[in-house]
Amino acid sequence: MNNEVIFWTQVASTVAFVLSVFGLYRLLVDQKDATIQLLKETVSTLKDQLAEARSSTPDVLAQSLSNRVKLLEVELERLSSDKDANQELVHEKEEELRATRQKAEELTKQVLLAQEMLNDFLCPHCGAPLAVREYHSEMVEYQGREIDVDHDYSEYECGYAVLDGKQRHPCRGKRPRGKSAVADT
């Protein structure tokens, strides 16, 4: 082996040794930084726990409870003083509700009556509106006597016609019975 190869081998081994020492140093520094960070987090957690423990001492809890009792007493006194005013307001609202319910019942009755009255003016098959209603009187001889006979003729827009309760023309309407011309407008 010549001197040059030995020289370069020594240089390479020295560089490898220095790099491994530097790597080991870096590994130890990183480990040390991680340990320091973990200790900082532990200290922070312990400080938070200490602050919480100080706020949860029996004296602090008793004071907090005492403040809450005072607040509830004040609220109870306010409610007691407002009791008469609140009862009067409740009574007024109950009267108003009773009157409104009565009006609603009256209106419901009127609507039902109007619907019943409207049915006389709608086709019984399709609900079309009444177009013609006529009353005619006729003199008829019956058993030697003349009698006045009244005729009732009704015709609806759908073509349905009734004379004295008997159908004269059929209904050509397209609407079901529940619908009326009034509902379509």
Side-chain angles (χ1 to χ4, degrees):
M1 263 206 210
N2 67 19
N3 285 339
E4 196 173 315
V5 171
I6 294 173
F7 173 73
W8 286 113
T9 305
Q10 285 178 345
V11 168
S13 63
T14 305
V15 168
F17 177 75
V18 169
L19 287 176
S20 62
V21 168
F22 181 72
L24 258 168
Y25 174 75
R26 188 73 190 141
L27 183 66
L28 288 173
V29 167
D30 288 344
Q31 185 70 27
K32 181 181 172 187
D33 288 345
T35 304
I36 290 171
Q37 183 64 31
L38 181 63
L39 289 173
K40 284 181 181 179
E41 289 175 5
T42 304
V43 166
S44 175
T45 303
L46 289 174
K47 283 181 181 179
D48 291 343
Q49 288 176 351
L50 180 61
E52 185 177 326
R54 284 182 181 160
S55 68
S56 298
T57 62
D59 294 339
V60 172
L61 291 176
Q63 181 64 32
S64 173
L65 189 57
S66 174
N67 290 341
R68 187 171 177 200
V69 166
K70 288 178 184 177
L71 181 68
L72 289 174
E73 286 174 348
V74 168
E75 182 70 15
L76 185 59
E77 287 176 21
R78 186 186 62 79
L79 288 174
S80 294
S81 66
D82 289 346
K83 181 180 176 184
D84 294 332
N86 287 339
Q87 282 183 346
E88 187 175 309
L89 182 62
V90 167
H91 182 69
E92 288 175 13
K93 292 300 178 182
E94 285 175 347
E95 287 297 321
E96 186 178 331
L97 179 62
R98 190 174 308 118
T100 304
R101 281 184 178 157
Q102 186 177 9
K103 286 179 184 177
E105 288 175 9
E106 290 173 8
L107 184 59
T108 302
K109 289 176 185 177
Q110 289 176 357
V111 167
L112 291 174
L113 180 62
Q115 285 177 343
E116 288 177 19
M117 294 172 77
L118 185 62
N119 283 336
D120 291 341
F121 298 99
L122 300 176
C123 173
H125 301 287
C126 70
L130 181 68
V132 176
R133 177 162 279 168
E134 296 175 349
Y135 298 98
H136 300 282
S137 292
E138 179 183 10
M139 297 292 285
V140 178
E141 189 175 320
Y142 179 72
Q143 295 181 353
R145 304 169 96 198
E146 285 192 6
I147 301 174
D148 231 357
V149 177
D150 292 327
H151 295 287
D152 179 12
Y153 177 75
S154 299
E155 185 177 329
Y156 300 88
E157 288 182 1
C158 62
Y160 181 68
V162 178
L163 178 63
D164 294 333
K166 294 181 185 175
Q167 179 178 329
R168 299 284 288 184
H169 298 286
C171 174
R172 297 185 314 262
K174 303 280 189 218
R175 284 184 238 133
R177 175 62 180 113
K179 301 273 184 179
S180 68
V182 174
D184 291 342
T185 59

